[in-house]
Structures are given as C-alpha cells and as structure tokens.
Amino acid sequence: MLRALASIYIEGQGVSRRDVFKVFRICAHSSAASDEQTVLSSTGAKTTKTKRSSHATFNKGEGESSQPPQPPRPPPPRPPRAWSALAALTALTASLGGVYWYRKMSEDAEEKNTTITSDEKKAEETVEIAIPASGEALPAHVQYLLVGGGTASFAAMRAIRSARPDAQVLIVAAETALPYMRPPLSKELWREPDLAARATSPDALTFRQWNGRRRSVTYEPNAFYTPAERLREGGAGAGVARGWRATRLDPARHSAELAAPGGATHTVTYDKCLIATGVRARRVAGLRAAAAAGRSLALRGVRDVARLAAALDDPAVRSVAVVGGGFLASELAVALADRLREDGKRVIQVFRESAPLAGVLPRYLADDVAVRLTAAGVELLPDAEVTDSSVRDGRVTVQLSSGERLEADLVVECVGSEPEAELARDSGLELHPELGGVLVNAELQARSDVFAAGDVACFYDEALGRRRVEHHDHAVVSGRLAGENMAALAPPRHYQHQSMFWSDLGPRLGYEAIGIVDARLPTVGVFSADAVGDEAAETRAVAEVGASEAALEAAPEAAREAAAGGGAPRRYERGVVFYVRERRVVGVLLWNLFNRMHVARQVLSQGEFDDLFEVAKLFSPHEED
C-alpha cells in the first residue's frame, strides 16, 4: 500500500490542498541565519524562537557521483572452437597457472598491505624523493602535459589516450603517490586497521567499499603507466613525474618549467597543457601555534591521513578536536568517533555555525544531523570560533571567541580549501577575483592550447552562471571533457554537466546533492510520512491511503508541535529538498534516497515548476531503497 508524503518544509510560503495520496503538510520557515520559525496551521500562523545548547564540555577561565574513472572492462570470452585435444590441454594448463599466479600475487599484495615494520612507521618522517629524481630522465617534449596528479588529470589522460592511443602524455604530480581518489580519506579508510603504517605506502593502500569488496586507493597500479625514460625516447604512453611541480608556464612558447625537491629542474615543451592543480587545505590562523608544535593537522592528501593516524595511535592522545562544520569535518568526526570508541577517546567537533552543515542544509535537517552526530559519539561545540591556541606538555589549549577555552590532545583542521592557483598566476593567466581559480570558457580553455579542469577551474555554467566546484564528480567529468577537447578528434564541446556529490554520516544517513546547495537559499523539503518521527521515542507518523480522517488530522498536529519547538527533535529518514533562486530550482538534495540522480538532473534542466510537491513525487520518497 502506498504511504503518504508527510511534510513539506517550505520557506516563504505555504500550500494547503489534499490530493489522492491524502497527504498532510507542515510549512516551516527555514533559514540558516535566523532562529525564528513560522508554523502555519488551521488556527493561523505562529512564530517561535528556538534555543540551541552546546553538547561538548570545555573549561572556563584558566585552564569540512558519479563514480571515479574505472579501468575498461575486459572483453567477453571468445566462443569455444574445435581445437585439438593437445591445444585444449595446453590452454587449460595455462589458465590454471594464470589463476594460481594471480591469486598468489593478490595474497602477497594483501600481506604487504597489512604488515607493519619499523621502517614504514618512520617513512612519514623522511623526505620524499621525486621519481624520477633527475630531470635528465624526463622527456624534452610531450604532446600533452597535465599539471596535477589528481582525479581531473587522470580523467583527462584516459580521455586523451582513448582518442589518441599513440599520444605522449606526461602527468606532473606534486605528490609522490600515483593518482588516487580522495573521497575515502575522510570515510572508508578510517575503518582500516594499521592505517598509520599502510598509508605511508599509498600505491599499495586498499580499503573496503560499501559492497564489501576491496579496492585500491590509486586508480591504476604503477605498471599501467609508461616510464618517463620511454617517453624521452619517443615512445607512446602516459607517464607520471612523481614529486615534481610545474613552477611556470610560457603559453606563447608552449613550455613549462618543472622543479623537484632537492633543487632538480627541467624544462619541457608541449603541444597542449592542462592545469588541474586542485586545492589545498585552508588553515586556521588561531591554530598556528598548535600547528607549529605538530599538534594541529590538516587533512587533504593521503600523507595527511598517515600523519593523523599515527598521532591517534599515541596512547597519550585521549581527545581530538575537529575544527569545522562542513562536509569534511562532519564526515571525519563520525569516522574518528567510530574508530576511537573502543579506546575510550573523545572526539569534539568545534564549529562557528549553530549546527553541523548549517551552511548547506535547511535548519531542521542540520538539527537532525546534530542529533545523529551526538548519537554517534561526537561531542558538539556549536557557535564557537577559534581565536588562538597554545601548547603545553603536548596538550593544546584552544581559545574560543566566547572567551572560553577547550583543551584537547590533538586538533584536526577541516575549515575548507583554497585553489592552488599560483602556477596560473605566475604564468599570466586570469584568475577570478571572488571565486578564485583559473578563468576558463565553457570549453574549459584558459588560453590557446592551455586548459583547466577540476577544483581549480572557474568555468561558465549556462544554467547557473560562473562557478567553481570542488566535487569528485566534477573533477571526473570536467577532466574528461578537457581531455577530449585537447585531443581534438571532434569539434570542442562546452561543459554543461551538473556535478553531484555524496556524503555518509554513519551507517544510517547518506545523502546526494546536485547544483547549488546553499542554506541561504529558500528551500522546499518533502519527506515520506513513515520517515519522519520523534527522535526520542523513535515513533513514526504514518498516513496511508484509506486511513481515517481522525488519523490524518492527528499526524500533522503532532508534527506541528515538533516543528514549533514543543516536541522532541525530529528524525528525517527519506525525502527531497529543493533549493530555489528567483522561482527556479537550482539545487536538489536527496536525503537517504539513492539511484535518483537522473531525475534530479532533469529537474535542474527544466528549472521552473508550478508545484514542487508534484515534482517531489517523481523521486518516490515513500519507497525504501
């Protein structure tokens, strides 16, 4: 039997009508900047103010889809042929031998991943050596130069090699790790044992996916890439200069200056170049003293994971403060709380907003996230901004804007990022003064034969205007399009993809979003009746087809009381939220709803609708996945 859609949370207006689903509705004024909430009911409008309480303890006075590019699938097996018995026996023997060899190599690789040695524990303290160590091993000229070793560069390389298999491609990666995916760094990796040791060898690092299967953090193994020496000799393929940086481009001469740790330099010329340098972690000015003492860390790359994991393994570390209220901070706080729970260590999330993710979610969902994080073991300290810090006897004292102090053994900074645009600036390319990043046209071109993709590219979106996006899906698709336009087998195509992103906050909450997701925008949320309940009692208000009128009226009354602040906190299990700007839907959030992103893309493409409640039915929020 179909279950009704329970509630509409809408900013600025209310809707009052019933349809064949016999729905009941609640209209609540949702704003990240205001504590006032307007509840519309049959007795009129009622405005209330809600108060928030701190969930963390502190001392007073003295003491922040699309899947990543996948390797091509193997061809289907060939049909059997009438071979001779000897040929069949030979093929069978070879196949069995191949299977044994593959399983043996896999077991050896897994054993290497889980074995800890003292040398591995010390590896993070050593200086990384570029590969190759000398510029003499690098080619003097390549057809395609890709600056950056992340997802966008890898996707561009795959597109170029697919279009032109005989092309020479050189990826210049500042990290010594092979190109790898970043989403697991704040989620799945923290469920891995012996992470401190294993993360020091990122090329062999694996993790367990949601489906139980293991996969490597790197997109492809080292054997996939062409040695730089072969490229220098004129061979085709894609190579990686690991630990090298491009310090300057000369677009007129089609040349790039490269540098490596230790003073090695090299000049390479190119036919076409891609800038995909990504972003770096933004640091908190008030935590400089703690960072200088090594007690405040950032999380951006796999080496940061190794450092953080090693610090957490220290028995003296009993409390960890995660600074930030965005996606990365919330994901990491949940992951660390789960990892450290058995050891009795505390995880405290400190953020200046009133609730986690309050900058992107409507207020009622941000409140729901706060309840979920607290249940997961995270102590929340909202409305708190770090102003200063000090370290004494290995313990960090964090000064807050309220005048209070928080003590922790370790601090992790997750307060956003900023584009790595120094190469573009020093090369005379134009940067966006507000959004940051390299200005490119809709074809992702910055200058003649110079392109930009991924987090560092500030591109023109036909539907939403000038944007710079920091999502994995955007890195994949923009990198692929840049590679296709660079290969130039067909007329250049403009970028019109609406990138999506996803997040998981524990085992019971996952969400996906697309477009502009900003809590400052008016929102309309529609949730399934059986998926909205009383957090304390774990009840569900359900209105079913054929239910009595008394039941239909009682359910919204209970929901109104909770929305007005008179009941227990609400838990939202399944629903869709529309973000609206000037009557146009510019963003869609799917709350515990999956495999519906294609519908969200169609909604964004059309933009304007007379009744968003009818649009919400397209997402079937009453159906559990």
Side-chain angles (χ1 to χ4, degrees):
M1 182 178 294
L2 289 178
R3 293 179 175 177
L5 302 177
S7 307
I8 292 185
Y9 289 82
I10 183 171
E11 183 166 357
Q13 62 176 342
V15 186
S16 57
R17 68 167 179 81
R18 295 177 181 271
D19 62 9
V20 293
F21 285 95
K22 290 190 177 180
V23 300
F24 61 85
R25 306 162 181 230
I26 299 170
C27 301
H29 187 79
S30 170
S31 173
S34 173
D35 289 334
E36 292 190 355
Q37 180 169 306
T38 302
V39 181
L40 302 181
S41 66
S42 58
T43 58
K46 179 170 56 178
T47 302
T48 63
K49 291 188 177 182
T50 59
K51 295 183 179 179
R52 302 179 184 273
S53 59
S54 300
H55 302 274
T57 58
F58 49 85
N59 297 328
K60 298 183 179 180
E62 291 295 328
E64 249 18 315
S65 239
S66 172
Q67 298 299 320
Q70 299 290 333
R73 295 181 180 179
R78 296 180 179 180
R81 297 180 180 178
W83 290 350
S84 65
L86 179 60
L89 179 61
T90 303
L92 178 61
T93 304
S95 299
L96 293 175
V99 170
Y100 172 81
W101 178 85
Y102 176 82
R103 294 187 63 181
K104 181 65 177 175
M105 293 297 292
S106 300
E107 293 171 357
D108 291 344
E110 184 66 21
E111 182 178 356
K112 290 180 181 179
N113 284 347
T114 56
T115 302
I116 309 175
T117 66
S118 59
D119 291 337
E120 287 177 328
K121 290 184 177 181
K122 297 178 181 178
E124 63 174 332
E125 302 176 0
T126 62
V127 177
E128 295 183 349
I129 300 176
I131 304 173
S134 171
E136 296 179 356
L138 293 173
H141 176 83
V142 291
Q143 292 169 288
Y144 302 96
L145 178 68
L146 311 181
V147 182
T151 298
S153 273
F154 181 81
M157 178 273 296
R158 293 293 293 264
I160 293 171
R161 293 281 293 154
S162 177
R164 298 186 180 275
D166 58 344
Q168 284 187 315
V169 183
L170 178 64
I171 298 175
V172 179
E175 297 183 67
T176 56
L178 293 171
Y180 63 90
M181 60 188 72
R182 296 187 186 274
L185 302 189
S186 60
K187 295 186 281 289
E188 293 92 343
L189 277 183
W190 295 102
R191 295 195 290 267
E192 295 297 315
D194 307 326
L195 182 59
R198 295 173 55 195
T200 60
S201 302
D203 292 359
L205 181 60
T206 64
F207 66 94
R208 192 173 300 280
Q209 302 177 93
W210 62 272
N211 56 11
R213 298 178 181 177
R214 300 199 67 85
R215 71 161 299 165
S216 175
V217 171
T218 59
Y219 290 118
E220 294 288 356
N222 189 47
F224 172 84
Y225 299 96
T226 303
E229 294 81 1
R230 183 178 175 186
L231 292 179
R232 184 176 181 87
E233 295 170 358
V240 184
R242 305 163 65 175
W244 287 80
R245 288 182 177 272
T247 58
R248 188 175 181 276
L249 301 179
D250 188 336
R253 297 184 178 181
H254 286 58
S255 67
E257 298 175 6
L258 311 182
T265 60
H266 181 67
T267 300
V268 59
T269 59
Y270 60 83
D271 292 340
K272 295 182 181 180
C273 176
L274 173 70
I275 299 177
T277 46
V279 295
R280 59 171 165 266
R282 182 181 290 118
R283 305 305 296 265
V284 179
L287 290 171
R288 288 176 181 170
R295 307 309 298 171
S296 185
L297 309 177
L299 181 63
R300 175 58 190 170
V302 68
R303 293 292 179 182
D304 298 328
V305 170
R307 291 184 61 200
L308 178 56
L312 294 174
D313 287 346
D314 185 352
V317 175
R318 306 298 302 172
S319 59
V320 183
V322 179
V323 180
F327 299 117
L328 179 62
S330 300
E331 290 174 355
L332 183 63
V334 170
L336 295 186
D338 182 64
R339 183 180 184 88
L340 303 177
R341 183 178 297 110
E342 293 184 359
D343 297 330
K345 299 183 177 183
R346 299 170 58 204
V347 176
I348 308 162
Q349 187 176 355
V350 184
F351 44 93
R352 61 186 179 184
E353 298 84 5
S354 57
L357 302 178
V360 292
L361 298 180
R363 179 169 172 175
Y364 56 92
L365 287 185
D367 288 341
D368 185 17
V369 170
V371 172
R372 292 174 186 266
L373 292 184
T374 301
V378 180
E379 301 177 40
L380 301 181
L381 189 55
D383 302 310
E385 190 164 1
V386 175
T387 60
D388 200 1
S389 63
S390 60
V391 179
R392 183 176 182 180
D393 297 331
R395 191 167 176 80
V396 182
T397 300
V398 179
Q399 183 69 45
L400 303 176
S401 55
S402 62
E404 294 148 337
R405 296 178 180 177
L406 170 70
E407 290 190 356
D409 298 307
L410 187 68
V411 180
V412 187
E413 303 175 41
C414 302
V415 292
S417 58
E418 52 192 18
E420 289 242 25
E422 289 78 11
L423 171 63
R425 181 196 61 203
D426 296 342
S427 303
L429 301 181
E430 186 178 3
L431 307 180
H432 195 282
E434 298 175 359
L435 300 176
V438 186
L439 271 175
V440 295
N441 59 21
E443 297 167 3
L444 303 181
Q445 192 169 23
R447 289 273 293 275
S448 178
D449 297 329
V450 177
F451 296 75
D455 299 350
V456 77
C458 185
F459 62 97
Y460 180 73
D461 186 318
E462 290 181 339
L464 304 177
R466 179 66 62 175
R467 303 178 67 196
R468 190 178 66 82
V469 178
E470 298 178 11
H471 298 322
H472 175 82
D473 177 58
H474 168 68
V476 173
V477 180
S478 65
R480 181 168 60 229
L481 178 63
E484 292 172 352
N485 287 345
M486 292 168 71
L489 281 188
R493 296 188 298 113
H494 62 280
Y495 187 74
Q496 53 185 168
H497 176 74
Q498 291 297 336
S499 63
M500 59 85 66
F501 66 91
W502 73 96
S503 181
D504 298 310
L505 296 176
R508 296 187 60 183
L509 175 59
Y511 57 88
E512 300 175 348
I514 186 173
I516 299 177
V517 179
D518 190 332
R520 293 171 295 183
L521 294 173
T523 61
V524 177
V526 181
F527 292 82
S528 177
D530 66 335
V532 180
D534 188 327
E535 175 65 31
E538 289 292 330
T539 60
R540 295 290 184 271
V542 180
E544 297 184 342
V545 174
S548 66
E549 287 298 317
L552 288 172
E553 294 299 331
E557 185 61 31
R560 289 189 189 103
E561 292 178 2
R570 310 292 287 172
R571 177 183 287 271
Y572 301 87
E573 296 295 348
R574 297 188 312 280
V576 56
V577 178
F578 302 101
Y579 292 76
V580 182
R581 185 175 65 188
E582 297 177 354
R583 297 183 53 84
R584 181 182 181 88
V585 176
V586 296
V588 179
L589 173 74
L590 303 179
W591 193 257
N592 271 341
L593 294 177
F594 307 99
N595 302 316
R596 296 164 171 83
M597 191 52 60
H598 63 287
V599 180
R601 293 188 189 280
Q602 295 176 9
V603 170
L604 282 189
S605 178
Q606 181 169 336
E608 295 188 10
F609 301 90
D610 294 331
D611 190 346
L612 287 177
F613 180 72
E614 293 295 329
V615 178
K617 294 179 183 177
L618 299 174
F619 294 89
S620 302
H622 57 280
E623 296 180 0
E624 295 189 36
D625 291 313

